[in-house]
Amino acid sequence: MKGDVSRPLSERVREAAVYLYGKGVLKPEIGIILGSGLNDFADRIKNPLIISYNDVPNMEAGLVSDHRGQVVYGKYKGKRVIIMAGRFHYYENRDMDKTAFPARVMVSLGVRRFIITNAAGCVNTEWNAGELMLISDHINLSGNNPLIGRNLDEFGPRFPDMTYTYNRELREKLRSAASEKGIELREGVYAMFTGPSFETPAEIRFARTIGADAVGMSTVPEAIIANHAGREVIGISFLSNMAAGVLDKPLTGAEVNEAALSIKDTFAEVVDLAIDI
Ligand code: HPA
């Protein structure tokens, strides 16, 4: 039965990974999770292997907040790349196992480097909407953690260190590589709220006070899973809007997606560099 949660998580993950392996998803080096409005990046892979989430055992395809819901695999820039086009959000079901399932499958398939992307609200008032931010660290305000529950020892330790989650050396390399192409990347702290309501202005002031530069509703679960397994993580936020209350106007989801379209090419260039470095 699809998504039979009575079976151990490790078994469900393995089954999904074995299925993908059988379809030809062989030893991906780079794993990319695409955020809202950023899914077009998957079209860059030539002659891709495309597998619908519907066909992958234990993937709750119905929950995906994007029309695609596809695993896309292929050779790109000389590397074997797996892309999860369409991500699961915690606000869909209050279930971290489901939210982080694709990341666990990518760990299981052997992905060494995770490139995790999102659209986020800009909390830092010195910055502007339309900019890209490398995530240097995060604050988990979801009230949950994907590692709660029996530890999967084959993935990583019970109490994983989170000091170096967003690989510092890679951030430095990526920033200078982008700078050489004339793309200036901000670098800062991403705070995850659950959503799906946008934050209130008071919550944004709170986020700023505790050190956040950006806010969003994703990324943290996947980053924790990748880090747990000792994999490299690069987090890229597209600052699609100034966060609530920074400007005297309401926010809409449509605005976020439209803004993402406008940055598509620059965003893709940065992801390209994150694969190369
Ligand atoms: N808040 C939370 N998530 C978001 C935002 C925001 O302002 N913009 C894009 N994703």
Side-chain angles (χ1 to χ4, degrees):
M1 182 171 61
K2 185 127 185 140
D4 177 3
V5 293
S6 67
R7 288 172 42 243
L9 177 60
S10 55
E11 233 173 70
R12 286 180 277 137
V13 171
R14 198 174 322 116
E15 203 171 74
V18 165
Y19 174 85
L20 290 171
Y21 185 84
K23 289 282 169 191
V25 179
L26 306 178
K27 297 196 170 28
E29 298 152 88
I30 307 263
I32 305 176
I33 298 171
L34 293 171
S36 313
L38 303 170
N39 279 302
D40 286 359
F41 183 85
D43 298 334
R44 298 198 147 211
I45 296 194
K46 300 261 185 327
N47 306 314
L49 185 61
I50 297 180
I51 299 153
S52 165
Y53 284 3
N54 279 316
D55 297 330
V56 182
N58 312 313
M59 287 265 266
E60 299 269 336
L63 297 173
V64 78
S65 61
D66 181 87
H67 64 281
R68 287 205 190 210
Q70 290 173 340
V71 180
V72 180
Y73 171 80
K75 216 42 189 297
Y76 182 68
K77 300 182 86 49
K79 307 232 166 85
R80 293 181 301 280
V81 174
I82 180 170
I83 299 180
M84 296 291 179
R87 96 165 349 121
F88 301 118
H89 287 93
Y90 182 58
Y91 58 69
E92 232 80 53
N93 47 36
R94 205 188 293 108
D95 184 331
M96 277 293 180
D97 286 351
K98 287 178 185 168
T99 307
F101 192 82
R104 287 202 194 268
V105 172
M106 292 202 294
V107 166
S108 203
L109 285 165
V111 164
R112 304 297 328 156
R113 177 177 298 172
F114 280 71
I115 302 171
I116 309 179
T117 72
N118 61 55
C122 183
V123 172
N124 187 322
T125 53
E126 315 255 292
W127 302 351
N128 297 300
E131 298 185 317
L132 293 170
M133 182 189 91
L134 283 183
I135 302 177
S136 59
D137 202 349
H138 75 224
I139 301 173
N140 180 5
L141 297 175
S142 74
N144 204 339
N145 188 303
L147 299 177
I148 289 176
R150 195 180 68 77
N151 187 53
L152 305 189
D153 296 332
E154 66 274 32
F155 282 68
R158 172 77 291 187
F159 301 109
D161 176 54
M162 292 289 290
T163 311
Y164 307 108
T165 303
Y166 300 90
N167 191 290
R168 186 161 34 183
E169 199 179 299
L170 289 177
R171 269 188 277 138
E172 269 162 31
K173 278 194 193 162
L174 183 51
R175 271 212 305 164
S176 63
S179 180
E180 274 171 32
K181 300 221 166 225
I183 305 168
E184 294 309 322
L185 298 176
R186 301 293 193 179
E187 196 163 338
V189 175
Y190 176 93
M192 179 195 174
F193 283 80
T194 64
S197 55
F198 285 114
E199 301 72 32
T200 63
E203 286 164 346
I204 294 304
R205 290 194 297 276
F206 162 70
R208 188 179 300 118
T209 303
I210 62 173
D213 296 292
V215 289
M217 308 173 192
S218 67
T219 299
V220 165
E222 297 102 322
I224 291 173
I225 289 302
N227 181 67
H228 179 233
R231 311 301 160 90
E232 294 171 348
V233 177
I234 297 175
I236 307 169
S237 290
F238 164 54
L239 306 176
S240 56
N241 55 281
M242 295 312 285
V246 175
L247 308 174
D248 192 9
K249 69 183 189 82
L251 305 178
T252 67
E255 172 193 1
V256 169
N257 286 328
E258 272 165 37
L261 279 181
S262 71
I263 189 88
K264 210 164 78 165
D265 295 338
T266 313
F267 168 79
E269 254 188 280
V270 174
V271 177
D272 276 0
L273 293 172
I275 294 169
D276 274 339
I277 55 172

